[in-house]
Amino acid sequence: MSKNPPQDQTPNTSRARGAFVQARRGVLAVGAAMVLCLGLSAPDARAQDRPQRGGTVIAAVDPGAIPSLNTHLTSVTAALFIADVWADGLMTYDRHGKRLPRLATEWSVSPDGKVYSFKLRQGVKWSDGQPFTAADVVFTLNNFAKFNTYLGKLLPLVVSAETPDPHTFVLTLKEPLTATLDLFDKEVFPLLPKHVYEGSADLATHPANRAPVGLGPFKFQTWDSGRAITFVRNPHYWEQPKPYLDSVVFALIPNAQQRLNAMMRGEVHWFRPEAVQVPAAKGGAAAGHYKVVRIENNAPERPIVDMNMRKPPFDNLKVRQALFQAIDRQRIIADAYQGLATTAQNAIPSQFKDLFDPSVDYDKLYPYDPKKAGALLDEAGYPLKDGKRMTVELTYPAFPPYDSISKLVQSSWAAVGIDVKLAGLDVQLFVDKVYKQNAFDASIVSLTGRTNPVLGVDRSYVCNKGKLPFVNPTGYCSAEMDKAVADAAAAPAGQQRAFYRRYAEIAARDLNQLVLASQQMHEAVSTRLEGLDAQFNFSYNTHPNWAEVWFPKK
């Protein structure tokens, strides 16, 4: 899920300024210079080419209910933004999606696709000064992967995870999983220190989950609940002389409009606008104090409708087909996403260019057609009676863009005689109702595809006997689909497209989930910072770690 926590929709300027003031205090507490005030005058001409040390970046995030900073335990969006500051992993991606080494300097795969060997960077230390070794990688896999929704496909295949020496990690699988390398990038698999967690009776509640020890450019300092989370330069960071900044402060600003206002006033240096805010953010950027950057190769972010197939009417395929054809997806793109999205063509995101097959096309299979939707509902045994066919409760996280998407779906379905009751909930209640209790009719959320279907798409279609958040809640369970998913995942690289076409065909036929659109992603960042081209040279779900940027001295 792209899980931005709930937002208070009532403007509260004093709260936003309070967060910024607290962030400034956090900077002073670590002896950093006063935060540069942006937006008062145009930036000075850049005469210096070498990075300068010093200064603090203020990044605005939605605090919602961040339960943890350990992103093995949560994938709340704000926690993901924050993790790139303190955490690191074996590899990452440049803007073209090419893998780049991080803590792994090189890797190799056996000819049978079952053994993965990683050579690790030597001389690396954790932010507390203790040495990093291959034992930390194995410890992270053995102890935290079970909490990580993206690693569910990998764990049953693991035969062994070994450390032949302190700087070598070897993973052996029962059978090939072509996406294995994608499962060890820095976003999916942030490394955690064995010496901190070892011996804990309950890893999920360990204090380090809220005060992490990591391998990133900054180390945790303070968490002032409701105001700011402060990180300072990690003196043990392996990629010296980076970072150049003294600190990064995450101002916890609960309202999307407040975050945009803070950016326009020059009170923060970075935030990620909601889709509906991008036009206004671009308008404000015209003054030159910040710019809006489109992430050209973003991870798929796709709003979906899940239907509870355990009960009528959603156990009826014709009803599910009718519900899809009744939704005006172009209106959702225009209104909820301000045109910054495209319709999703099938279960496999088009970002996965080597896997996606456009011959399976929802726009052609299920075009917006209220008349056809009504006929299907008649055939399914749900004719109009007193102007209504059925009542459906539509559950969704009560914040953008899900609130507006839900209202648009409500309007579309009402046009064919479906009475839709909206149930907007905060994230924790939403997760409990939909994924743990399965006590829902239909639900709306946005799911990320990460870098490969194994990470973010398979979970929507394979049989699910558990209660993990954001994993197939529909009750759909098909041996045919499970085999198609497994065959596609195991097919050799370069030979997978036909297997994923079969996967997409079954998903299009059975329709346990309605995929509505694919969203573009944008970030707003201050132009007072140098090194932005290097900082934003990333793909998929990577976010700024602020190691590359610096403030030029006047």
Side-chain angles (χ1 to χ4, degrees):
M1 173 190 181
S2 178
K3 294 176 285 298
N4 297 303
Q7 299 169 352
D8 173 9
Q9 298 304 302
T10 304
N12 187 340
T13 304
S14 62
R15 177 68 181 268
R17 288 178 176 163
F20 175 63
V21 169
Q22 184 61 29
R24 286 170 51 128
R25 289 174 180 165
V27 174
L28 290 172
V30 299
M34 289 290 289
V35 178
L36 293 176
C37 181
L38 312 181
L40 297 180
S41 60
D44 293 337
R46 272 64 161 172
Q48 300 148 313
D49 294 327
R50 294 188 212 168
Q52 308 293 309
R53 294 178 77 81
T56 294
V57 157
I58 305 291
V61 297
D62 182 346
I66 305 176
S68 169
L69 297 182
N70 180 350
T71 53
H72 285 286
L73 305 178
T74 180
S75 49
V76 169
T77 302
L80 295 174
F81 293 151
I82 295 169
D84 272 353
V85 168
W86 66 266
D88 212 334
L90 296 181
M91 65 188 72
T92 189
Y93 308 93
D94 67 13
R95 72 174 70 242
H96 304 294
K98 178 184 176 182
R99 291 189 183 96
L100 298 176
R102 296 298 294 168
L103 275 306
T105 57
E106 59 182 276
W107 47 85
S108 62
V109 184
S110 64
D112 64 1
K114 295 180 182 181
V115 182
Y116 290 77
S117 299
F118 299 84
K119 290 295 182 182
L120 304 183
R121 197 174 299 276
Q122 299 188 29
V124 175
K125 294 182 179 180
W126 293 94
S127 58
D128 63 359
Q130 294 298 307
F132 161 74
T133 71
D136 295 303
V137 183
V138 173
F139 181 84
T140 303
L141 178 65
N142 288 342
N143 292 276
F144 285 97
K146 62 187 176 185
F147 300 112
N148 190 323
T149 61
Y150 299 110
L151 297 176
K153 189 70 173 287
L154 176 71
L155 286 183
L157 301 180
V158 174
V159 173
S160 64
E162 300 173 305
T163 59
D165 62 64
H167 304 294
T168 304
F169 164 54
V170 178
L171 178 73
T172 303
L173 304 180
K174 297 176 185 176
E175 59 189 60
L177 181 65
T178 307
T180 296
L181 289 176
D182 295 276
L183 301 176
F184 285 96
D185 71 30
K186 70 188 293 284
E187 300 302 315
V188 174
F189 193 74
L191 296 166
L192 296 175
K194 177 181 178 180
H195 70 276
V196 170
Y197 285 97
E198 191 172 35
S200 172
D202 185 2
L203 294 175
T205 61
H206 195 285
N209 295 329
R210 289 180 62 86
V213 174
L215 296 165
F218 298 89
K219 67 177 184 177
F220 175 83
Q221 187 183 57
T222 58
W223 186 339
D224 186 354
S225 183
R227 292 187 176 275
I229 303 176
T230 300
F231 293 82
V232 297
R233 182 187 292 117
N234 175 6
H236 305 292
Y237 186 46
W238 62 269
E239 202 174 8
Q240 292 293 323
K242 304 170 189 175
Y244 307 113
L245 300 171
D246 289 331
S247 54
V248 176
V249 176
F250 291 93
L252 306 179
I253 304 178
N255 181 272
Q257 186 60 46
Q258 294 168 9
R259 295 193 293 276
L260 175 57
N261 292 345
M263 190 83 216
M264 290 181 169
R265 289 194 298 264
E267 295 176 347
V268 302
H269 301 88
W270 175 93
F271 91 113
R272 189 173 82 170
E274 303 289 347
V276 294
Q277 294 179 298
V278 171
K282 287 183 175 179
H289 306 307
Y290 69 89
K291 64 180 179 179
V292 177
V293 179
R294 179 180 174 183
I295 307 305
E296 295 294 336
N297 195 27
N298 66 282
E301 296 282 350
R302 310 203 301 172
I304 55 95
V305 179
D306 280 322
M307 294 161 289
N308 194 342
M309 293 171 56
R310 300 171 185 83
K311 60 182 182 178
F314 308 103
D315 58 348
N316 189 312
L317 176 59
K318 288 185 177 180
V319 170
R320 301 195 299 275
Q321 292 172 332
L323 293 177
F324 204 2
Q325 291 207 249
I327 296 175
D328 187 347
R329 297 200 291 154
Q330 290 295 343
R331 186 179 173 196
I332 288 173
I333 289 169
D335 293 356
Y337 289 102
Q338 298 295 296
L340 302 174
T342 56
T343 55
Q345 290 180 265
N346 63 54
I348 307 305
S350 58
Q351 285 93 331
F352 304 151
K353 297 179 178 62
D354 294 336
L355 310 178
F356 171 74
D357 190 321
S359 67
V360 183
D361 187 349
Y362 288 154
D363 289 335
K364 295 178 180 178
L365 292 169
Y366 302 106
Y368 174 53
D369 189 340
K371 185 176 180 180
K372 178 65 179 295
L376 283 168
L377 290 169
D378 288 339
E379 293 173 20
Y382 294 94
L384 277 170
K385 185 176 181 180
D386 299 326
K388 186 169 72 173
R389 299 177 188 273
M390 64 182 76
T391 298
V392 172
E393 182 183 70
L394 185 59
T395 305
Y396 61 95
F399 55 87
Y402 313 119
D403 46 4
S404 57
I405 294 173
S406 297
K407 290 174 183 176
L408 292 167
V409 170
Q410 179 188 44
S411 175
S412 288
W413 285 354
V416 296
I418 299 173
D419 180 26
V420 179
K421 307 296 185 185
L422 296 180
L425 304 173
D426 70 35
V427 171
Q428 296 305 318
L429 290 176
F430 174 82
V431 167
D432 185 69
K433 181 179 177 70
V434 175
Y435 299 97
K436 295 183 179 179
Q437 297 184 31
N438 302 137
F440 74 105
D441 292 341
S443 68
I444 289 180
V445 76
S446 181
L447 297 179
T448 178
R450 293 283 182 170
T451 58
N452 188 282
V454 168
L455 282 80
V457 179
D458 293 359
R459 57 179 169 164
S460 290
Y461 300 101
V462 296
C463 295
N464 174 27
K465 298 178 181 178
K467 301 292 183 180
L468 281 175
F470 312 109
V471 177
N472 182 10
T474 66
Y476 173 67
C477 187
S478 163
E480 182 185 15
M481 174 57 98
D482 283 3
K483 184 178 186 303
V485 170
D487 289 347
Q495 302 176 33
Q496 292 180 288
R497 189 189 301 272
F499 292 92
Y500 277 106
R501 181 176 66 245
R502 178 59 180 154
Y503 178 154
E505 288 170 346
I506 298 171
R509 180 195 71 196
D510 294 350
L511 279 188
N512 70 308
Q513 182 182 92
L514 312 180
V515 188
L516 304 180
S518 184
Q519 180 186 356
Q520 298 175 16
M521 303 304 295
H522 296 78
E523 299 183 12
V525 62
S526 168
T527 53
R528 288 296 300 269
L529 292 160
E530 291 283 12
L532 289 177
D533 288 343
Q535 183 63 81
F536 282 85
N537 183 31
F538 56 68
S539 292
Y540 303 121
N541 272 42
T542 302
H543 308 294
N545 69 0
W546 304 111
E548 304 280 354
V549 301
W550 47 280
F551 286 108
K553 288 185 169 60
K554 291 185 178 181

